[in-house]
């Protein structure tokens, strides 16, 4: 069935709708009262809930109305009551883009009548008048039906009128065909439709499930020279063999010379220092040019195509700022703020000055042409086949700009993914996610203890955030070498990798420093890498014996075999009686796939404890043992009941990733591999 | 300062406002995104909070804009930052009716400049260019100022330009006069105003603080006859002496004869049975008539005037339903639902039939004339000076009707108070409060244990409910004799009274059955009174020796001396290590008034325990004893620190109502009566 597109009604004050008795409140998913869409991916089933109720004791019926926002007609899904006037229904989102939905409810006279009839007949009352009332309702519906359905309704009406004993009348009243036809044709008199149309933005599945690998192209050469895009192309099999599906490159544009930074962020650079890739723009070009030492646009196209063949998607870095040598500085001075002495305002955080960077002035009078130019940068790379952008420091540019540009780009390219690199205050990070960023960096790098991880992940996955904020967890980045990795050695790298890869559908690492266990900070107390690749070129031996390559590959393989990792809602922490051990599960809604992770957060000592894992909820018989298969070590353990012992030696493996083994699933009766 | 009335801007999608960088979210108080007003009383200070932030690192400033909704100009209150981008400001509501408010925020260039200046000067940087930038900002503000202020700004601008050393420049930059003038005249460029204008409905103080006494007028006679309004008038001193300020009368209209109910709700009434006062309407009149045996309209006017003199306000019962003999049944059959056999649909809850009651059909085609007629009932009694209505079963009439009628009535009579008598599902009760009911009956009668009371009261006073749902707690009503009063004897009546009177600003009892300790149910398991006054006339001896009159008077006196009882937000439960003892405090925001209640919920046994009362929050020195004065018994106790012993014998008194005694309050230094 469908309804007219123009359904809208003021929930509060439209007195012309005085007979609309049903109230609809608290519809979810709902981000800021409908100002922003909730996020889902293609293939998801959206569960809509609402408080639906009316005065008095009449029966209420309700449906979710939904459509692709550009479709003319609504589809509908019947809602079912849960508890306390809360109702629920589901619908599937099967295409990219925006869906709209709302809720419609009405007093259902027929269901009210059915319910009363049941009680009257049970009490042995005379139901002659009620027979007539019911028959009138059926007759009314018949008038709205046509053909066979109308005939059937008239026939059922006749049988209702003719019933001579209560039981016979009740049999007709409760007839399944009658209920179905009445649900379809009975007029929904004085219906109420929830006024704000709420929206869902539907991304491709990679928005919710992706494994990122970040690397510096100029450090990609096997020998001691400036790496090129061709070298990156040669590295593709390496990244793909670890199971990553996004290859993210820091900026590949020409780098400015003025105030160029030297090694370890030194304010003076030697003539052959390569500079920071984020100091974008020189006489060789700006945001749409490629650094000559990296190669040509043809090389870029080759790389993109080769990546696609390798099952890896390229992600570009978008850093909207300019070096003093950027073509915009000469060509578009109107986009920069001028100081009273006529110079251009450089970036600063008083008293610190960043004279190698000119921020764009989003408050300038030419802001509209600036917005357009920035959009054109995206479009340039979109035309080169790029569909994933990691946006540098979006929180230092206006929210409205991002909302506009993402909206504009997605109208034509809804498959585009935007990752917000904002490490800042919670409300700012949340807003960026609300206004359109597909994924967001998080505080994960600084959440080490069980308490911190549990609190933070619960906040991300159990509050309203889960509707719009998709965390992308990174144990390290070129800017962040967290203390845990500086001091914890190989066990810490392994533990942090397992946590990132299994606590969230999206995660990433910055390599090869990650798989090679780089742990030296620029100075004590710093989170900067010593000899950071941001300012220097490195050469990595990918065949190092101590590389975590194989471990990472195994973890990514496990991820791919665990579909519930993509769904924030399936994450649940479980009690374990040791503060150094953290335990959580990912369980598919149909219970077919159960992953239980136990991670030792202490990189130095063996830790053990008792896990509380409520297997009754998994429909496992509590009196039979079941097998837990550690996918990391391939060991198998026989567990009993809800409470089981684990012990993790960080020198062997800091984590278990258990899959619960069941042979088959039939009605509440399972066989297990023992 | 004031701003134009037409401030409105789409928070999300108005690209013409591309340079408005400030975001405003999560403004409170806020009921359903502004669909409904929050409630306050005259004299309250409204605390407005909002998340206010922008991209980047510039300083943000924000104000609350507020006005009486019919005023042309906004007033404003400067907001101060709390934590995590949350800002706050207060304004006072001093008149009845609706106030509107919203939040406006902008990038404050001058404050940003000041902040940077401080750091630059501290770092010993050259600030020549920054001097010029600051002077330009001041010059711009001077252009917006006039007269003396303009002159001062120009002078300060000159001093800024001329400063030759950093410290001197900084002294001008931080000048208090300059900050004040800049706050007033600096242009609020690209300001963002929160789009929904939120509203506050302001009632008179009695809406938040009232003590109700319910009684049946026909049982008011001293001798054995049908009581009259004159008898009620004679009883006024009795009610007033107990300290009640609202006298609520069940319906005083003519009572129908058809299907009239007999004693104990018997379906057959004897000829001289008086019937239920809620069976409204006979040939003598309907909702605007007075039952002849109660007296005349002149008697009613006398009663109302006498009540006013006694400091007691009359509350009428509004029960929108009709007996089969109501004049509307003959005169306005269009307002009732017809059955196929031509009869009018009586009330029923299948299989139960209530043939003495015809519900009004709010879905009838003549619904508009019905609404108007019901509004006229209110207006009739408003014209007779009534300003408090206790509305019977509002949840069986449409929400939209109530919203409309309350809104209509309040436009002219904003002092009117409506109490919703809806004992039904939470969402329904909440909605009635949202759409305009001033006060609401609650589940209090069925909340007996510490867990139940704590959970329920916290829900009412610490969730969003506190913004719009004003609980009115009743230990008993003519419909509810709860089990606790059936079995607990006098201690239970005393404990329940203390709880009702001190847990909420509004409470009431149904007397004399309450003060006389009526405890007999109609039958075991029933909450109906045996020989309920709903169907029979009683004669009460007000001078019974066992009357709780004096105890009630004392409790009401304590209430009146405790202003914080009127404020839901001041209720806080405290830990006490005995499940039978409940402890809570009401503390005025300025800490001048501290009431600590301890109630023994066990009516049979002495109970004792240790109270945890965090006196450090009260600015009491932790190393000195302080005096707790039990206002019920007049006993005084010397307490020490946070943890003190209490013991309550229910046969003596089931409660302490302690007032913390302090002689005077000066800065963090108190003297106590010892």
């Amino acid at each position: 069935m469908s309804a007219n597109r123009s359904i809208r009604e003021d929930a509060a004050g439209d007195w012309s709708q005085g007979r609309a008795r049903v109230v609809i409140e608290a519809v979810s998913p709902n981000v800021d009262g409908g100002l922003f869409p909730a996020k889902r991916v293609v293939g998801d089933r959206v569960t809509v809930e609402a408080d639906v109720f009316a005065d008095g004791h009449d029966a209420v019926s309700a449906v979710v109305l939904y459509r692709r926002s550009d479709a003319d007609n609504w589809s509908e899904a019947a809602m079912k009551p849960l508890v306390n006037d809360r109702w629920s229904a589901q619908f599937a989102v099967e295409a990219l883009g925006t869906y709209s939905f709302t809720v419609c409810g009405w007093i259902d006279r027929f269901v009210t009548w059915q319910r009363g009839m049941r009680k009257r007949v049970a009490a042995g009352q005379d139901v002659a008048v009620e027979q007539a009332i019911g028959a009138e309702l059926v007759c009314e519906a018949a008038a709205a039906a046509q053909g066979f359905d109308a005939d059937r309704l008239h026939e059922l009406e006749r049988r209702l009128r003719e019933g001579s004993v209560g039981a016979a009348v009740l049999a007709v009243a409760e007839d399944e065909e009658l209920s179905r036809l009445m649900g379809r044709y009975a007029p929904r008199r004085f219906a109420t439709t929830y006024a704000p149309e709420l929206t869902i933005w539907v991304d491709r599945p990679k928005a919710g499930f992706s494994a990122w690998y970040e690397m510096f192209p100029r450090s990609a050469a096997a020998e001691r020279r400036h790496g090129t895009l061709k070298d990156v192309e040669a590295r593709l099999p390496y990244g793909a063999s670890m199971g990553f599906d996004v290859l993210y490159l820091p900026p590949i544009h020409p780098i400015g010379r003025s105030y160029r930074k030297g090694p370890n962020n030194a304010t003076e650079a030697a003539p052959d220092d390569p500079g920071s890739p984020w100091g974008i723009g020189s006489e060789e070009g700006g945001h749409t040019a490629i650094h000559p030492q990296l190669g040509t646009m043809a090389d870029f196209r080759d790389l993109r195509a080769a990546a696609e063949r390798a099952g890896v998607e390229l992600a570009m870095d978008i850093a909207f700022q300019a070096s003093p040598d950027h073509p915009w500085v000469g060509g578009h001075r109107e986009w920069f703020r001028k100081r009273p002495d006529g110079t251009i305002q450089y970036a600063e955080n008083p008293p610190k000055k960043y004279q190698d960077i000119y921020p764009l002035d989003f408050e300038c009078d030419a802001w509209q042409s600036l917005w357009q130019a920035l959009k054109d940068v995206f479009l340039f790379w979109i035309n080169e086949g790029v569909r994933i952008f990691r946006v540098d420091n979006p929180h230092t540019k206006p929210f409205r700009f991002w909302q506009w540009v993402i909206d504009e780009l997605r109208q034509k390219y809804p498959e585009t993914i935007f990752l917000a690199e904002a490490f800042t205050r919670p409300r700012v990070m949340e807003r960026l996610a609300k206004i359109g960023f597909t994924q967001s960096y998080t505080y994960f790098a600084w959440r080490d203890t069980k308490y911190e991880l549990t609190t933070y992940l619960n906040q991300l996955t159990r509050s309203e955030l889960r509707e719009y904020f998709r965390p992308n967890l990174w144990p390290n980045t070129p800017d962040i070498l967290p203390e845990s990795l500086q001091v914890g050695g190989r066990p810490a790298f392994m533990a942090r990798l397992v946590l990132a890869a299994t606590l969230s559908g999206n995660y990433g690492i910055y390599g090869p420093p990650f798989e090679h266990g780089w742990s030296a900070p620029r100075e004590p107390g710093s989170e900067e890498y010593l000899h950071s690749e941001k300012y220097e070129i490195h050469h990595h031996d990918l065949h190092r014996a101590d590389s975590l390559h194989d471990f990472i590959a195994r973890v990514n393989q496990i991820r791919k075999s665990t579909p519930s990792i993509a769904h924030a809602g399936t994450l649940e922490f479980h009690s374990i009686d040791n503060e150094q051990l953290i335990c959580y599960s990912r369980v598919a809604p149909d219970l077919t796939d159960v992953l239980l992770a136990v991670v030792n957060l202490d990189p130095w000592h063996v830790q053990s404890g008792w896990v509380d894992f409520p297997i009754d909820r998994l429909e496992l018989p509590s009196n039979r043992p079941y097998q837990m298969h550690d996918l990391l070590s391939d060991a198998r353990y026989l567990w009993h009941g809800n409470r089981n012992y684990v012990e993790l030696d960080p020198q062997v493996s800091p984590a278990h990733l258990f899959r619960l083994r069941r042979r088959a699933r039939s009605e509440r009766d399972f066989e297990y591999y023992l």
Side-chain angles (χ1 to χ4, degrees), chain A:
Chain A
M1 285 191 70
S2 65
N4 189 288
R5 225 192 126 136
S6 66
I7 292 176
R8 283 193 83 84
E9 188 192 317
D10 187 337
D14 181 358
W15 310 129
S16 72
Q17 300 294 320
R19 290 186 281 184
R21 291 167 49 201
V22 170
V23 170
I24 301 169
E25 292 184 331
V27 180
S28 70
N30 173 334
V31 181
D32 287 10
L35 271 187
F36 305 103
K39 290 175 186 156
R40 295 294 187 273
V41 299
V42 168
D44 275 351
R45 291 189 65 78
V46 178
T47 298
V48 176
E49 290 191 5
D51 294 338
V52 185
F53 54 91
D55 62 280
H57 307 291
D58 292 339
V60 165
S61 286
V63 293
V64 170
L65 301 173
Y66 65 97
R67 57 177 168 85
R68 286 244 349 184
S69 295
D70 54 5
D72 286 332
N73 294 319
W74 294 98
S75 299
E76 66 177 48
M79 300 190 87
K80 298 207 184 318
L82 303 170
V83 73
N84 244 344
D85 294 314
R86 193 91 184 139
W87 293 64
S88 171
Q90 288 195 325
F91 66 91
V93 284
E94 282 150 359
L96 291 176
T98 306
Y99 279 71
S100 300
F101 71 95
T102 189
V103 171
C104 175
W106 62 95
I107 299 289
D108 195 320
R109 289 197 178 181
F110 180 73
V111 173
T112 307
W113 172 85
Q114 275 182 317
R115 209 166 57 180
M117 207 62 185
R118 220 163 288 143
K119 293 176 183 165
R120 289 178 221 276
V121 170
Q125 292 180 353
D126 175 73
V127 293
V129 176
E130 276 68 25
Q131 268 177 270
I133 292 174
E136 276 172 30
L137 294 174
V138 176
C139 178
E140 194 178 37
Q146 285 172 334
F148 179 74
D149 288 347
D151 295 346
R152 287 300 301 152
L153 282 164
H154 281 303
E155 164 64 14
L156 288 158
E157 176 199 348
R158 190 187 56 72
R159 284 173 52 201
L160 262 189
R161 289 197 197 278
E162 290 175 357
S164 55
V165 292
V169 177
L170 187 60
V172 182
E174 296 192 315
D175 181 274
E176 207 169 298
E177 182 191 16
L178 180 58
S179 295
R180 185 176 54 75
L181 291 172
M182 290 301 285
R184 182 147 183 202
Y185 294 109
R188 297 174 179 179
R189 207 175 262 118
F190 316 133
T192 299
T193 303
Y194 187 67
E197 272 180 30
L198 300 172
T199 54
I200 308 275
W201 171 263
V202 181
D203 282 302
R204 55 184 167 127
K206 196 172 255 175
F209 191 71
S210 59
W212 294 50
Y213 187 77
E214 175 177 6
M215 60 171 282
F216 284 84
R218 67 191 184 188
S219 293
E223 57 273 41
R224 297 216 153 260
R225 58 166 172 78
H226 194 289
T228 65
L229 297 178
K230 281 287 167 208
D231 295 320
V232 176
E233 195 177 324
R235 283 244 176 130
L236 284 169
Y238 171 78
S241 71
M242 278 190 286
F244 292 102
D245 52 15
V246 178
L247 175 62
Y248 150 48
L249 306 180
I252 56 173
H253 315 301
I255 296 172
R257 287 235 151 247
S258 307
Y259 297 98
R260 178 181 280 193
K261 292 287 167 57
N264 292 313
N265 202 22
T267 46
E268 301 282 316
D272 56 347
D273 284 337
S276 161
W278 284 274
I280 297 170
S282 75
E283 58 189 12
E284 287 127 345
H287 285 75
T288 53
I290 291 178
H291 189 285
Q293 287 181 277
L294 288 174
T296 64
M297 192 56 74
D299 295 338
F300 180 82
R301 288 172 189 146
D302 288 348
L303 171 60
R304 206 206 56 76
E308 189 174 316
R309 287 192 300 275
V312 176
E313 193 169 340
L314 272 198
M316 290 283 291
D317 194 302
I318 293 288
F320 282 145
Q321 57 196 18
S323 96
D325 311 319
H326 194 292
W328 286 344
V329 176
H332 290 283
R333 289 182 82 81
E334 71 275 17
W335 294 342
F336 299 91
R337 186 172 291 181
K338 262 72 69 185
R339 287 157 62 88
D341 62 357
T343 60
I344 288 181
Q345 179 67 60
Y346 44 82
E348 54 179 351
N349 183 11
K352 287 189 203 160
K353 302 177 179 189
Y354 306 101
Q355 288 165 297
D356 57 330
I357 297 292
Y358 287 172
L360 294 158
D361 180 12
F362 284 84
E363 286 184 347
C364 70
D365 290 334
W367 62 275
Q368 283 157 309
S369 71
L370 171 63
W371 283 24
Q372 202 58 54
L374 299 179
K375 177 182 157 188
D376 287 343
V377 170
F378 277 111
L379 282 176
F380 178 90
W381 295 107
I382 284 175
N383 286 334
E384 291 297 336
V386 177
R387 289 294 185 278
I388 306 184
F389 297 97
R390 177 270 196 193
V391 178
D392 189 76
N393 285 331
H395 59 294
T396 59
K397 291 97 195 169
F399 299 102
R400 278 171 184 259
F401 163 70
W402 294 121
Q403 189 170 5
W404 173 83
V405 78
I406 291 174
D407 188 55
E408 289 273 308
L409 296 171
R410 277 201 183 137
Q411 280 176 26
K412 193 154 171 200
Y413 306 100
E415 69 278 17
T416 316
I417 288 173
F418 301 86
L419 167 62
E421 190 251 358
F423 293 105
T424 181
R425 286 127 48 218
R427 296 300 92 73
V428 174
M429 292 173 66
E430 289 159 19
R431 180 80 181 191
L432 289 167
K434 285 179 191 171
I435 61 176
F437 279 92
T438 320
Q439 303 179 355
S440 306
Y441 280 81
T442 69
Y443 305 148
F444 170 73
W446 305 285
R447 296 294 178 269
D448 295 328
T449 66
K450 175 151 79 173
Y451 174 80
E452 289 169 349
L453 285 163
T454 307
T455 308
Y456 186 52
L457 267 296
N458 276 337
Q459 194 182 334
L460 295 179
T461 60
R462 292 179 176 248
S463 76
E464 201 199 47
L465 283 172
R466 71 195 267 184
E467 302 293 357
Y468 64 86
F469 188 97
R470 289 203 193 95
N472 193 325
L473 307 186
W474 290 68
N476 75 329
T477 77
D479 297 313
I480 308 170
L481 171 64
E483 193 188 22
S484 56
L485 299 185
Q486 294 180 29
V487 302
R490 187 179 179 85
F493 279 80
M494 292 167 76
R496 298 295 295 174
L497 182 92
V498 168
L499 290 168
T502 58
L503 283 170
S504 165
N506 301 300
Y507 94 108
I509 61 169
Y510 152 53
F514 189 87
E515 60 266 31
H516 293 173
W518 282 25
S519 62
R522 195 177 60 197
E523 70 270 344
S526 169
E527 290 187 337
E528 290 287 337
Y529 279 94
L530 181 66
H531 295 297
S532 168
E533 289 189 297
K534 289 193 289 187
Y535 314 104
E536 299 175 50
I537 294 174
H538 282 264
H539 303 277
H540 303 282
D541 171 12
L542 301 185
H543 305 290
R544 278 169 60 163
D546 64 351
S547 172
L548 284 168
H549 174 285
D550 293 353
F551 182 76
I552 295 168
R554 179 134 208 157
V555 169
N556 278 330
Q557 192 184 28
I558 293 168
R559 264 173 62 85
K560 281 180 196 150
S561 68
T562 308
S564 59
I565 287 181
H567 300 287
T570 69
L571 177 67
E572 184 178 353
F573 290 93
H574 302 289
S575 155
I576 181 166
D577 60 348
N578 180 332
E579 272 304 296
Q580 298 285 6
L581 294 176
I582 190 168
C583 174
Y584 50 93
S585 66
R586 323 265 346 196
V587 178
D590 64 359
L591 308 183
T592 49
D593 178 41
V594 178
L595 188 82
L596 185 78
V598 183
V599 181
N600 183 356
L601 302 174
D602 174 357
W604 297 287
H605 304 101
V606 175
Q607 297 285 352
S608 63
W610 289 84
V611 171
D612 277 312
F613 185 48
I615 60 158
D616 38 324
R617 292 219 310 268
L618 304 177
E619 303 182 4
L620 281 179
S622 60
N623 57 349
R624 282 212 247 162
Y626 52 98
Q627 195 198 77
M628 292 299 251
H629 175 193
D630 182 2
L631 303 173
L632 284 173
S633 67
D634 218 28
R636 286 130 207 269
Y637 299 84
L638 206 56
W639 280 22
H640 300 256
N642 288 341
R643 203 166 156 79
N644 290 279
Y645 180 80
V646 292
E647 184 180 294
L648 283 164
D649 180 348
Q651 296 304 326
V652 178
S653 169
H656 287 306
L657 287 178
F658 291 121
R659 171 150 293 140
L660 175 65
R661 285 280 175 207
R662 29 175 75 148
R663 182 169 284 142
R665 183 165 177 252
S666 61
E667 285 300 314
R668 301 189 154 270
D669 181 37
F670 301 96
E671 293 295 327
Y672 307 92
Y673 291 110
L674 293 181

